[in-house]
PDB file of all heavy atoms in Angstrom:
ATOM      1  N   LEU A   2      28.694 -30.814  40.572  1.00 96.00           N
ATOM      2  CA  LEU A   2      28.590 -31.026  39.120  1.00 96.00           C
ATOM      3  C   LEU A   2      29.780 -30.428  38.374  1.00 96.00           C
ATOM      4  O   LEU A   2      29.621 -29.762  37.341  1.00 96.00           O
ATOM      5  CB  LEU A   2      27.275 -30.426  38.596  1.00 96.00           C
ATOM      6  CG  LEU A   2      25.977 -31.075  39.105  1.00 96.00           C
ATOM      7  CD1 LEU A   2      24.761 -30.257  38.705  1.00 96.00           C
ATOM      8  CD2 LEU A   2      25.818 -32.503  38.610  1.00 96.00           C
ATOM      9  N   GLU A   3      30.976 -30.685  38.937  1.00 94.00           N
ATOM     10  CA  GLU A   3      32.177 -30.040  38.370  1.00 94.00           C
ATOM     11  C   GLU A   3      32.524 -30.557  36.978  1.00 94.00           C
ATOM     12  O   GLU A   3      33.318 -29.954  36.277  1.00 94.00           O
ATOM     13  CB  GLU A   3      33.380 -30.172  39.323  1.00 94.00           C
ATOM     14  CG  GLU A   3      33.776 -31.578  39.702  1.00 94.00           C
ATOM     15  CD  GLU A   3      32.886 -32.201  40.758  1.00 94.00           C
ATOM     16  OE1 GLU A   3      32.172 -31.463  41.475  1.00 94.00           O
ATOM     17  OE2 GLU A   3      32.903 -33.428  40.853  1.00 94.00           O
ATOM     18  N   THR A   5      30.441 -30.550  34.588  1.00 97.00           N
ATOM     19  CA  THR A   5      29.588 -29.857  33.620  1.00 97.00           C
ATOM     20  C   THR A   5      30.252 -28.561  33.159  1.00 97.00           C
ATOM     21  O   THR A   5      30.534 -27.687  33.970  1.00 97.00           O
ATOM     22  CB  THR A   5      28.217 -29.531  34.249  1.00 97.00           C
ATOM     23  OG1 THR A   5      27.678 -30.734  34.778  1.00 97.00           O
ATOM     24  CG2 THR A   5      27.274 -28.928  33.216  1.00 97.00           C
ATOM     25  N   LYS A  13      23.604 -37.783  20.861  1.00 97.00           N
ATOM     26  CA  LYS A  13      22.531 -38.539  20.204  1.00 97.00           C
ATOM     27  C   LYS A  13      22.232 -39.825  20.953  1.00 97.00           C
ATOM     28  O   LYS A  13      21.172 -40.415  20.785  1.00 97.00           O
ATOM     29  CB  LYS A  13      22.956 -38.898  18.781  1.00 97.00           C
ATOM     30  CG  LYS A  13      22.919 -37.711  17.851  1.00 97.00           C
ATOM     31  CD  LYS A  13      23.164 -38.162  16.411  1.00 97.00           C
ATOM     32  CE  LYS A  13      22.934 -37.017  15.446  1.00 97.00           C
ATOM     33  NZ  LYS A  13      23.851 -37.066  14.309  1.00 97.00           N
ATOM     34  N   LEU A  15      23.808 -40.613  24.442  1.00 98.00           N
ATOM     35  CA  LEU A  15      24.000 -40.594  25.896  1.00 98.00           C
ATOM     36  C   LEU A  15      22.993 -39.663  26.564  1.00 98.00           C
ATOM     37  O   LEU A  15      22.912 -38.485  26.226  1.00 98.00           O
ATOM     38  CB  LEU A  15      25.420 -40.114  26.223  1.00 98.00           C
ATOM     39  CG  LEU A  15      25.775 -40.095  27.712  1.00 98.00           C
ATOM     40  CD1 LEU A  15      25.934 -41.509  28.260  1.00 98.00           C
ATOM     41  CD2 LEU A  15      27.035 -39.277  27.957  1.00 98.00           C
ATOM     42  N   ARG A  16      22.262 -40.214  27.494  1.00 98.00           N
ATOM     43  CA  ARG A  16      21.360 -39.401  28.307  1.00 98.00           C
ATOM     44  C   ARG A  16      22.080 -39.076  29.600  1.00 98.00           C
ATOM     45  O   ARG A  16      22.617 -39.976  30.262  1.00 98.00           O
ATOM     46  CB  ARG A  16      20.090 -40.215  28.598  1.00 98.00           C
ATOM     47  CG  ARG A  16      19.103 -39.557  29.498  1.00 98.00           C
ATOM     48  CD  ARG A  16      18.424 -38.338  28.898  1.00 98.00           C
ATOM     49  NE  ARG A  16      17.611 -38.653  27.753  1.00 98.00           N
ATOM     50  CZ  ARG A  16      17.606 -37.893  26.641  1.00 98.00           C
ATOM     51  NH1 ARG A  16      18.358 -36.824  26.538  1.00 98.00           N
ATOM     52  NH2 ARG A  16      16.833 -38.225  25.615  1.00 98.00           N
ATOM     53  N   ASN A  18      21.569 -37.094  33.301  1.00 98.00           N
ATOM     54  CA  ASN A  18      20.632 -36.467  34.231  1.00 98.00           C
ATOM     55  C   ASN A  18      19.244 -36.267  33.621  1.00 98.00           C
ATOM     56  O   ASN A  18      18.825 -35.138  33.311  1.00 98.00           O
ATOM     57  CB  ASN A  18      21.204 -35.143  34.754  1.00 98.00           C
ATOM     58  CG  ASN A  18      22.473 -35.363  35.535  1.00 98.00           C
ATOM     59  OD1 ASN A  18      22.883 -36.508  35.762  1.00 98.00           O
ATOM     60  ND2 ASN A  18      23.114 -34.293  35.948  1.00 98.00           N
ATOM     61  N   GLU A  62       4.733 -41.675  52.584  1.00 98.00           N
ATOM     62  CA  GLU A  62       3.534 -42.469  52.869  1.00 98.00           C
ATOM     63  C   GLU A  62       3.772 -43.906  52.409  1.00 98.00           C
ATOM     64  O   GLU A  62       4.589 -44.140  51.510  1.00 98.00           O
ATOM     65  CB  GLU A  62       2.339 -41.915  52.068  1.00 98.00           C
ATOM     66  CG  GLU A  62       1.724 -40.652  52.655  1.00 98.00           C
ATOM     67  CD  GLU A  62       0.789 -40.924  53.815  1.00 98.00           C
ATOM     68  OE1 GLU A  62       0.934 -41.972  54.477  1.00 98.00           O
ATOM     69  OE2 GLU A  62      -0.080 -40.084  54.070  1.00 98.00           O
ATOM     70  N   ASN A  90      -1.780 -65.470  45.387  1.00 98.00           N
ATOM     71  CA  ASN A  90      -1.265 -64.958  46.664  1.00 98.00           C
ATOM     72  C   ASN A  90      -1.880 -63.612  47.040  1.00 98.00           C
ATOM     73  O   ASN A  90      -2.261 -63.388  48.185  1.00 98.00           O
ATOM     74  CB  ASN A  90       0.255 -64.828  46.605  1.00 98.00           C
ATOM     75  CG  ASN A  90       0.944 -66.160  46.845  1.00 98.00           C
ATOM     76  OD1 ASN A  90       0.549 -66.916  47.730  1.00 98.00           O
ATOM     77  ND2 ASN A  90       1.952 -66.463  46.051  1.00 98.00           N
ATOM     78  N   TYR A  95      -3.849 -60.557  50.687  1.00 98.00           N
ATOM     79  CA  TYR A  95      -4.053 -59.114  50.846  1.00 98.00           C
ATOM     80  C   TYR A  95      -5.452 -58.624  50.468  1.00 98.00           C
ATOM     81  O   TYR A  95      -5.773 -57.464  50.689  1.00 98.00           O
ATOM     82  CB  TYR A  95      -2.973 -58.359  50.058  1.00 98.00           C
ATOM     83  CG  TYR A  95      -1.575 -58.654  50.575  1.00 98.00           C
ATOM     84  CD1 TYR A  95      -0.640 -59.346  49.814  1.00 98.00           C
ATOM     85  CD2 TYR A  95      -1.209 -58.266  51.866  1.00 98.00           C
ATOM     86  CE1 TYR A  95       0.624 -59.633  50.299  1.00 98.00           C
ATOM     87  CE2 TYR A  95       0.054 -58.547  52.368  1.00 98.00           C
ATOM     88  CZ  TYR A  95       0.964 -59.232  51.579  1.00 98.00           C
ATOM     89  OH  TYR A  95       2.218 -59.508  52.079  1.00 98.00           O
ATOM     90  N   GLN A 378      23.951 -26.816  31.080  1.00 98.00           N
ATOM     91  CA  GLN A 378      24.959 -26.212  30.193  1.00 98.00           C
ATOM     92  C   GLN A 378      24.422 -24.943  29.553  1.00 98.00           C
ATOM     93  O   GLN A 378      25.128 -23.942  29.423  1.00 98.00           O
ATOM     94  CB  GLN A 378      25.356 -27.220  29.110  1.00 98.00           C
ATOM     95  CG  GLN A 378      26.143 -28.386  29.669  1.00 98.00           C
ATOM     96  CD  GLN A 378      26.574 -29.351  28.591  1.00 98.00           C
ATOM     97  OE1 GLN A 378      25.768 -29.735  27.758  1.00 98.00           O
ATOM     98  NE2 GLN A 378      27.832 -29.732  28.603  1.00 98.00           N
TER      99      GLN A 378
ATOM    100  N   THR B  34       2.614 -71.548  49.075  1.00 98.00           N
ATOM    101  CA  THR B  34       3.279 -70.383  49.660  1.00 98.00           C
ATOM    102  C   THR B  34       3.627 -70.665  51.114  1.00 98.00           C
ATOM    103  O   THR B  34       4.713 -70.329  51.591  1.00 98.00           O
ATOM    104  CB  THR B  34       2.368 -69.151  49.552  1.00 98.00           C
ATOM    105  OG1 THR B  34       2.024 -68.966  48.184  1.00 98.00           O
ATOM    106  CG2 THR B  34       3.055 -67.903  50.076  1.00 98.00           C
ATOM    107  N   ILE B  63       3.847 -61.598  46.943  1.00 98.00           N
ATOM    108  CA  ILE B  63       3.835 -61.654  48.412  1.00 98.00           C
ATOM    109  C   ILE B  63       4.155 -60.309  49.066  1.00 98.00           C
ATOM    110  O   ILE B  63       3.965 -60.123  50.253  1.00 98.00           O
ATOM    111  CB  ILE B  63       4.812 -62.754  48.890  1.00 98.00           C
ATOM    112  CG1 ILE B  63       4.479 -63.175  50.316  1.00 98.00           C
ATOM    113  CG2 ILE B  63       6.260 -62.281  48.772  1.00 98.00           C
ATOM    114  CD1 ILE B  63       4.905 -64.548  50.660  1.00 98.00           C
ATOM    115  N   ASN B 116      33.557 -35.949  40.408  1.00 96.00           N
ATOM    116  CA  ASN B 116      32.682 -36.901  41.088  1.00 96.00           C
ATOM    117  C   ASN B 116      31.502 -37.208  40.169  1.00 96.00           C
ATOM    118  O   ASN B 116      30.590 -36.395  40.047  1.00 96.00           O
ATOM    119  CB  ASN B 116      32.216 -36.294  42.411  1.00 96.00           C
ATOM    120  CG  ASN B 116      31.224 -37.191  43.112  1.00 96.00           C
ATOM    121  OD1 ASN B 116      31.004 -38.323  42.704  1.00 96.00           O
ATOM    122  ND2 ASN B 116      30.616 -36.683  44.171  1.00 96.00           N
ATOM    123  N   GLN B 119      27.181 -37.633  40.971  1.00 96.00           N
ATOM    124  CA  GLN B 119      26.093 -36.652  40.869  1.00 96.00           C
ATOM    125  C   GLN B 119      25.376 -36.751  39.526  1.00 96.00           C
ATOM    126  O   GLN B 119      24.391 -36.056  39.304  1.00 96.00           O
ATOM    127  CB  GLN B 119      26.650 -35.234  41.052  1.00 96.00           C
ATOM    128  CG  GLN B 119      27.108 -34.973  42.471  1.00 96.00           C
ATOM    129  CD  GLN B 119      28.096 -33.826  42.554  1.00 96.00           C
ATOM    130  OE1 GLN B 119      28.435 -33.194  41.554  1.00 96.00           O
ATOM    131  NE2 GLN B 119      28.570 -33.556  43.749  1.00 96.00           N
ATOM    132  N   TYR B 120      25.920 -37.589  38.660  1.00 98.00           N
ATOM    133  CA  TYR B 120      25.330 -37.720  37.329  1.00 98.00           C
ATOM    134  C   TYR B 120      24.652 -39.079  37.187  1.00 98.00           C
ATOM    135  O   TYR B 120      25.116 -40.081  37.732  1.00 98.00           O
ATOM    136  CB  TYR B 120      26.420 -37.614  36.257  1.00 98.00           C
ATOM    137  CG  TYR B 120      27.105 -36.265  36.231  1.00 98.00           C
ATOM    138  CD1 TYR B 120      28.211 -36.008  37.035  1.00 98.00           C
ATOM    139  CD2 TYR B 120      26.637 -35.258  35.400  1.00 98.00           C
ATOM    140  CE1 TYR B 120      28.841 -34.784  37.009  1.00 98.00           C
ATOM    141  CE2 TYR B 120      27.262 -34.027  35.362  1.00 98.00           C
ATOM    142  CZ  TYR B 120      28.367 -33.787  36.171  1.00 98.00           C
ATOM    143  OH  TYR B 120      28.982 -32.571  36.143  1.00 98.00           O
ATOM    144  N   SER B 121      23.575 -39.087  36.427  1.00 98.00           N
ATOM    145  CA  SER B 121      22.948 -40.339  36.032  1.00 98.00           C
ATOM    146  C   SER B 121      23.106 -40.462  34.529  1.00 98.00           C
ATOM    147  O   SER B 121      22.665 -39.589  33.786  1.00 98.00           O
ATOM    148  CB  SER B 121      21.463 -40.304  36.400  1.00 98.00           C
ATOM    149  OG  SER B 121      20.769 -41.314  35.717  1.00 98.00           O
ATOM    150  N   SER B 123      22.848 -42.845  30.988  1.00 98.00           N
ATOM    151  CA  SER B 123      22.114 -43.990  30.457  1.00 98.00           C
ATOM    152  C   SER B 123      22.037 -43.902  28.941  1.00 98.00           C
ATOM    153  O   SER B 123      22.179 -42.830  28.363  1.00 98.00           O
ATOM    154  CB  SER B 123      20.720 -43.973  31.086  1.00 98.00           C
ATOM    155  OG  SER B 123      19.792 -44.659  30.299  1.00 98.00           O
ATOM    156  N   GLU B 145      30.394 -40.475  23.316  1.00 98.00           N
ATOM    157  CA  GLU B 145      29.924 -39.155  23.750  1.00 98.00           C
ATOM    158  C   GLU B 145      30.309 -38.879  25.195  1.00 98.00           C
ATOM    159  O   GLU B 145      30.684 -37.757  25.551  1.00 98.00           O
ATOM    160  CB  GLU B 145      28.397 -39.070  23.583  1.00 98.00           C
ATOM    161  CG  GLU B 145      27.963 -38.964  22.130  1.00 98.00           C
ATOM    162  CD  GLU B 145      26.439 -39.011  21.955  1.00 98.00           C
ATOM    163  OE1 GLU B 145      25.720 -39.085  22.977  1.00 98.00           O
ATOM    164  OE2 GLU B 145      25.983 -38.984  20.808  1.00 98.00           O
ATOM    165  N   GLU B 149      32.624 -35.841  26.421  1.00 97.00           N
ATOM    166  CA  GLU B 149      32.041 -34.852  27.328  1.00 97.00           C
ATOM    167  C   GLU B 149      32.825 -34.745  28.639  1.00 97.00           C
ATOM    168  O   GLU B 149      33.018 -33.663  29.165  1.00 97.00           O
ATOM    169  CB  GLU B 149      30.591 -35.275  27.626  1.00 97.00           C
ATOM    170  CG  GLU B 149      29.789 -34.318  28.470  1.00 97.00           C
ATOM    171  CD  GLU B 149      29.147 -33.214  27.648  1.00 97.00           C
ATOM    172  OE1 GLU B 149      28.952 -33.397  26.433  1.00 97.00           O
ATOM    173  OE2 GLU B 149      28.861 -32.157  28.234  1.00 97.00           O
ATOM    174  N   VAL B 196      18.082 -64.181  42.376  1.00 97.00           N
ATOM    175  CA  VAL B 196      16.773 -63.969  42.988  1.00 97.00           C
ATOM    176  C   VAL B 196      16.680 -62.651  43.751  1.00 97.00           C
ATOM    177  O   VAL B 196      15.668 -62.370  44.375  1.00 97.00           O
ATOM    178  CB  VAL B 196      16.427 -65.130  43.950  1.00 97.00           C
ATOM    179  CG1 VAL B 196      16.354 -66.452  43.191  1.00 97.00           C
ATOM    180  CG2 VAL B 196      17.432 -65.227  45.093  1.00 97.00           C
ATOM    181  N   LYS B 490       2.682 -45.969  60.526  1.00 97.00           N
ATOM    182  CA  LYS B 490       1.218 -45.812  60.592  1.00 97.00           C
ATOM    183  C   LYS B 490       0.634 -46.738  61.675  1.00 97.00           C
ATOM    184  O   LYS B 490      -0.439 -46.509  62.193  1.00 97.00           O
ATOM    185  CB  LYS B 490       0.576 -46.132  59.240  1.00 97.00           C
ATOM    186  CG  LYS B 490       0.658 -44.992  58.205  1.00 97.00           C
ATOM    187  CD  LYS B 490      -0.384 -43.913  58.438  1.00 97.00           C
ATOM    188  CE  LYS B 490      -0.572 -42.995  57.218  1.00 97.00           C
ATOM    189  NZ  LYS B 490       0.430 -41.937  57.082  1.00 97.00           N
TER     190      LYS B 490
END
Side-chain angles (χ1 to χ4, degrees):
Chain A
L2 295 171
E3 58 282 341
T5 307
K13 286 188 172 145
L15 182 71
R16 176 68 64 223
N18 297 355
E62 282 280 24
N90 279 317
Y95 298 113
Q378 291 182 312
Chain B
T34 304
I63 200 155
N116 176 9
Q119 290 159 1
Y120 296 88
S121 164
S123 156
E145 287 175 2
E149 184 85 23
V196 298
K490 280 281 196 279

